[in-house]
């Protein structure tokens, strides 16, 4: 029997586990899915916006995989920490597949980025999604009238939408109560989502973009003059050469440019061809705005500065300019690509494939693609592992690795513990007159899990 550990229970990890147990070439594979958190599903639980219930429903598909009798979920297990190194993990399993994502956001690298009121979109998402590592984050939005979101991807669209949403629309979600309360008291009336390039180069998907124009009491506005700077906006031939998603995005924006915003409670302004150059400081060292330089297409797919500057008022700045992988102690790491070096998913150490070590997901390819992109990525890695299976299976292993994890001082949360967390979150929601509400802190999660384990 081949025993495999998958580190990470997000889509890439679950898809890797599913591929391994469902294939027929190597019978008898058993997979332990390990996660640092006591709750499974990775970014589907802690990264998908709470008002996107259709995407969050993917948890049901992931759940079905994790309930397979050949797969075991072990949460609250940190690999790379003081108790469990990658080297030790490989002593307990024939193979280990790392699916640990990309946990760090990119900086803008401009003056004033350290000011109070400037945050990463990652931190904001973690806060309103109830990630236990974000329990110390606080976002007092009561004194914020204007916010700036820097970026042109789906995460930028998500945080923009959440700032513009009203409390009645968010109460039915699983958002933690403290975040819901803060958003209910928000004073935000204007959100500017700013991109340094043009609308045809936006990374957001049309569905998410279009949603900004359908929020109750919110007007989505765009400057026709900025749209006209994009060669593809005014030139039908140039537009025809664009990928279909970019063409659809332009049509959405064209419609917004032609409509009357009316008397809306809040406004979302999409701004293009503006490059951030400085965060402006106000009283008490807090952000009071951002300075941007107007850019223009350079004819090579990029932009060039024009020397013309514009200040946008803001008491809150969220940067959403991409993610980076972080080194996992004990694994090789490419600091330029911010990924683990690999060959078709096999971890490469000192120029050679390391027998038994594999990667999938963002730590393998970088933070690109959508949730579904993880499936072929995980399949490639699983295929490499299966090709190596005969050699891997020759190595003798100790007994159940769960015993070794406990002996190392770890306290794994098994599936019944996760089900107990789910039940506790449902109880919390009922007590608040809502549906299931996330428990946003480590002690609360572990208390619930342990109560279930002892039942």
């Amino acid at each position: 029997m081949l025993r495999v550990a998958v580190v990470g229970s997000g889509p890439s990890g679950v898809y890797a586990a599913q591929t391994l147990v469902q294939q027929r070439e190597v019978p008898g594979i058993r997979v332990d899915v390990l996660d640092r958190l006591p709750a499974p599903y990775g970014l589907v639980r802690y990264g998908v916006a709470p008002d996107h219930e259709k995407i969050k429903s993917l948890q049901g598909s992931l759940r079905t995989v994790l309930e397979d009798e050949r797969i075991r979920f072990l949460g609250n297990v940190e690999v790379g920490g003081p108790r469990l190194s990658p080297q030790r993990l490989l002593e307990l399993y024939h193979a280990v597949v790392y699916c640990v994502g990309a946990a760090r956001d990119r900086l803008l690298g401009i003056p004033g980025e350290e000011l109070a009121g400037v945050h990463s979109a990652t931190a904001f998402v973690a806060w309103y999604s109830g990630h236990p590592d974000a329990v110390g984050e606080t976002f007092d939005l009561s004194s914020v009238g204007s916010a700036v979101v820097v970026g042109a991807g789906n995460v930028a669209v998500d945080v923009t939408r959440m700032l513009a949403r009203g409390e009645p629309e968010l109460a039915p979600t699983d958002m933690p109560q403290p975040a819901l309360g803060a958003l209910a008291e928000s004073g935000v009336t204007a959100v500017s989502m700013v991109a340094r390039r043009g609308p045809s180069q936006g990374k957001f998907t049309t569905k998410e973009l279009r949603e900004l124009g359908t929020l109750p009491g919110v007007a989505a506005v765009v400057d026709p003059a900025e749209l006209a700077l994009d060669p593809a906006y005014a030139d039908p031939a140039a537009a025809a050469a664009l990928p279909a998603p970019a063409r659809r995005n332009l049509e959405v924006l064209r419609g917004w440019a032609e409509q009357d915003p009316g008397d809306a409670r809040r406004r979302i302004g999409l701004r293009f061809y503006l490059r951030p150059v400085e965060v402006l400081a106000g009283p008490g060292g807090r952000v009071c705005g951002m300075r941007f330089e107007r850019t223009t297409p350079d004819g090579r797919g990029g932009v060039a500065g024009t020397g013309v500057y514009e200040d946008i008022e803001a008491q809150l700045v969220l940067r959403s300019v991409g993610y980076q992988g972080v080194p996992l102690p004990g694994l090789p790491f490419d600091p330029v690509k911010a990924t683990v070096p690999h060959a078709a998913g096999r971890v490469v150490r000192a120029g050679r494939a390391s027998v038994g070590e594999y990667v999938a997901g963002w730590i393998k390819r970088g933070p690109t693609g959508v949730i579904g992109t993880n499936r072929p990525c995980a399949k490639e890695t699983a295929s490499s592992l299966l090709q190596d299976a005969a050699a891997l299976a020759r190595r003798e292993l100790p007994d159940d690795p769960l015993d070794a994890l406990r002996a190392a001082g770890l306290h794994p949360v098994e599936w019944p513990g996760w089900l107990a967390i789910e039940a506790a979150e449902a109880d919390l929601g009922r007590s608040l007159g809502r549906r299931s509400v996330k428990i946003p802190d480590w002690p609360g999660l572990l208390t619930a899990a342990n109560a279930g384990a002892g039942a």
Side-chain angles (χ1 to χ4, degrees), residues 194-437:
V194 187
R196 66 183 179 89
R197 298 198 294 177
S200 66
Q201 297 165 310
K203 299 299 183 183
F204 37 70
T205 55
T206 306
K207 180 178 181 296
E208 276 65 32
L209 176 65
R210 186 180 289 118
E211 192 174 4
L212 294 180
T214 64
L215 304 179
V218 179
V221 297
V222 64
D223 185 347
E226 289 183 349
L227 296 182
L229 293 173
D230 193 321
Y233 183 75
D235 182 355
L242 291 174
R247 294 198 303 272
R248 291 193 292 266
N249 288 344
L250 288 182
E251 289 308 306
V252 172
L253 295 169
R254 192 186 304 277
W256 292 352
E258 296 171 351
Q259 69 184 13
D260 181 359
D263 185 20
R265 172 176 54 90
R266 289 174 173 157
R267 290 197 177 198
I268 295 173
L270 273 72
R271 304 295 309 275
F272 297 98
Y273 292 112
L274 291 173
R275 177 165 55 201
V277 295
E278 184 180 0
V279 181
L280 305 177
R286 290 194 61 85
V287 59
C288 70
M290 283 197 73
R291 179 161 295 157
F292 294 87
E293 180 185 14
R294 169 67 62 193
T295 61
T296 187
D298 63 5
R300 302 184 300 275
V303 292
T306 64
V308 177
Y309 296 88
E310 177 182 344
D311 293 349
I312 299 179
E313 177 188 352
Q315 297 80 45
L316 172 70
V317 171
L318 299 176
R319 63 175 181 269
S320 181
V321 290
Y323 297 91
Q324 290 179 309
V326 296
L328 184 71
L331 280 185
F333 189 75
D334 183 335
V336 176
K337 296 181 179 179
T339 58
V340 171
H342 72 94
R346 297 179 177 91
V347 172
V348 172
R349 292 180 181 270
R352 299 183 63 182
S354 176
V355 178
E357 294 183 304
Y358 306 84
V359 286
W362 280 3
I363 200 63
K364 170 187 174 184
R365 67 180 191 275
T368 61
V370 295
I371 290 175
T373 310
N374 290 291
R375 191 178 290 278
C377 172
K379 186 175 181 179
E380 179 192 53
T381 296
S383 177
S384 293
L385 190 157
L386 293 170
Q387 291 171 21
D388 303 339
L392 297 172
R394 296 191 191 105
R395 187 162 54 90
E396 293 291 329
L397 298 180
D399 293 332
D400 189 347
L402 184 56
D403 297 331
L405 298 178
R406 289 172 174 156
L410 295 166
H411 302 280
V413 171
E414 298 183 69
W415 195 249
W418 159 240
L419 296 180
I421 292 173
E422 279 192 319
E425 293 183 337
D427 290 342
L428 176 59
R430 280 190 290 269
S431 73
L432 296 169
R434 299 171 58 195
R435 291 189 287 180
S436 182
V437 172

Side-chain angles (χ1 to χ4, degrees), residues 72-96:
R72 178 170 59 176
F73 173 72
L74 299 177
N76 196 36
V77 175
E78 182 178 9
V79 179
R83 292 185 174 91
L84 185 62
S85 67
Q87 180 181 1
R88 175 55 177 156
L89 190 62
L90 195 55
E91 293 172 357
L92 303 177
Y93 294 89
H94 292 109
V96 181

